[in-house]
Amino acid sequence: MLKLTRKLEYALIALRHMQTKGELLSTTKEISDMYTIPQELLAKTLQQMARLEYIDAVQGSHGGYRIHSSMSKISLTKFIEDLEGPMGMVDCSVASDCIQLNNCNIRQPINRINDNIRSIFSRINLSDITH
Amino acid sequence: MLKLTRKLEYALIALRHMQTKGELLSTTKEISDMYTIPQELLAKTLQQMARLEYIDAVQGSHGGYRIHSSMSKISLTKFIEDLEGPMGMVDCSVASDCIQLNNCNIRQPINRINDNIRSIFSRINLSDITH
DNA sequence: ATTAAATACGACTATTATAGTCGGGTATAA
DNA sequence: TTATACCCGACTATAATAGTCGTATTTAAT
């Protein structure tokens, strides 16, 4: 309940690590060794973040990743949804093929809570975590 | 990400249903039929809530459940944790056998967010959802 | 040129958590 | 005594997450 996925954990750990290194490049191996993260898994996450332009990738020998400068102002909501897709406490707030949509008696109150949570996450910047 | 389990959904739907019926008993079958919830699964959830004294169980033919009067002031945090166990964004905020506890560079900021979320859930009463 | 070290990426398997089922038991009103 | 309800633990199925593997590409250094 309410737990971050490993992917998000790894992503945040990596971002924070890169933040401390400024312009210097970090490699997948370096990070996976340091924090005991499965290398291939971290690699995929870093690749995804590079595609999303959270980080810059430098290819080839002596390559690596560095954090994208304008990244810190991103909200946690956007970050999570970029990496994992839409978040919502109940599916009907995301997709609408629930068999009981009309019957469901908790949709409105739950959706209100959902909005509350989203707005909290939206006020938290990535930099609050990786600072 | 951030999704309620079916068990919690079913529990909330059932509570809300019972709330509308005041002192009248509701049966598992009645609720599972009405909201298209697998009966056996709902049954287990209602039994658990009865053990936790969120609802009163009346056994035997013509039996059923009714909502426990003092229930509405319970916080969402307590409710969720009673039904599903401790909640936390990362495991280390719950158990402490993570292999990288000391190395981990995101624990503190994440735990701060965690506390924020918990306090939000704590300010929400069950009655806000089942009212 | 060749090699070594890095990113890129899709397909695959394994593990775990959630969801759902089943069988047998107990309580009680009619 | 029967029908209908709650009670409960063990089991299976499904889906989501986590992790692995193979292969290709890029680039610095030799």
Side-chain angles (χ1 to χ4, degrees):
Chain A
M1 195 48 225
L2 224 155
K3 207 156 65 192
L4 296 183
T5 61
R6 290 287 165 95
K7 185 161 94 175
L8 283 171
E9 275 189 49
Y10 297 159
L12 291 171
I13 287 174
L15 283 180
R16 187 158 210 227
H17 178 85
M18 285 184 249
Q19 190 110 81
T20 68
K21 299 190 58 178
E23 293 295 309
L24 287 175
L25 295 177
S26 310
T27 67
T28 306
K29 186 163 190 327
E30 167 189 338
I31 298 176
S32 69
D33 281 352
M34 182 150 178
Y35 302 101
T36 326
I37 298 171
Q39 178 167 345
E40 285 305 313
L41 185 53
L42 177 64
K44 287 204 317 190
T45 305
L46 293 176
Q47 283 156 28
Q48 187 181 6
M49 285 200 288
R51 275 196 301 273
L52 292 164
E53 300 188 345
Y54 282 98
I55 57 182
D56 293 322
V58 176
Q59 286 202 322
S61 165
H62 292 168
Y65 300 94
R66 79 169 69 83
I67 201 159
H68 198 102
S69 48
S70 65
M71 184 232 63
S72 57
K73 276 183 280 180
I74 299 286
S75 78
L76 200 52
T77 309
K78 175 159 169 44
F79 179 69
I80 291 177
E81 298 203 328
D82 275 352
L83 264 73
E84 302 275 27
M87 67 183 178
M89 305 203 72
V90 286
D91 275 335
C92 59
S93 66
V94 172
S96 307
D97 55 351
C98 173
I99 51 168
Q100 56 189 16
L101 265 188
N102 290 317
N103 247 355
C104 176
N105 62 10
I106 60 161
R107 187 157 40 124
Q108 292 195 357
I110 289 280
N111 278 340
R112 252 180 282 133
I113 294 174
N114 213 26
D115 291 344
N116 282 339
I117 304 277
R118 280 182 67 92
S119 89
I120 289 149
F121 275 83
S122 296
R123 281 194 296 272
I124 298 169
N125 283 349
L126 220 37
S127 61
D128 294 329
I129 299 175
T130 62
H131 67 208
Chain B
M1 196 51 227
L2 225 153
K3 207 155 67 190
L4 296 184
T5 61
R6 290 287 164 95
K7 186 161 93 174
L8 283 171
E9 275 189 50
Y10 297 159
L12 291 172
I13 287 174
L15 283 179
R16 186 158 211 225
H17 179 84
M18 286 183 249
Q19 190 110 79
T20 66
K21 297 190 58 177
E23 293 295 308
L24 287 175
L25 295 177
S26 309
T27 67
T28 305
K29 185 161 190 328
E30 167 190 338
I31 298 175
S32 69
D33 281 353
M34 182 149 176
Y35 301 101
T36 327
I37 298 172
Q39 179 167 344
E40 285 305 313
L41 185 52
L42 177 63
K44 289 205 316 191
T45 305
L46 293 176
Q47 284 156 28
Q48 187 181 5
M49 285 201 286
R51 276 195 301 275
L52 292 165
E53 301 188 345
Y54 283 97
I55 57 181
D56 294 322
V58 176
Q59 285 202 326
S61 164
H62 292 168
Y65 299 96
R66 77 168 74 81
I67 202 160
H68 197 100
S69 48
S70 65
M71 184 233 63
S72 57
K73 275 183 281 180
I74 300 286
S75 78
L76 199 53
T77 309
K78 176 160 168 41
F79 179 70
I80 290 177
E81 297 203 328
D82 276 352
L83 263 75
E84 302 274 28
M87 67 181 177
M89 305 202 73
V90 287
D91 276 335
C92 60
S93 63
V94 171
S96 306
D97 56 349
C98 173
I99 51 169
Q100 56 188 18
L101 264 189
N102 290 318
N103 246 356
C104 176
N105 62 10
I106 59 160
R107 189 158 39 122
Q108 292 195 359
I110 290 280
N111 278 341
R112 251 180 284 132
I113 295 173
N114 213 26
D115 292 344
N116 282 340
I117 305 277
R118 281 182 65 91
S119 89
I120 291 149
F121 275 84
S122 297
R123 281 195 296 272
I124 297 169
N125 283 347
L126 219 37
S127 61
D128 294 329
I129 299 175
T130 62
H131 66 209

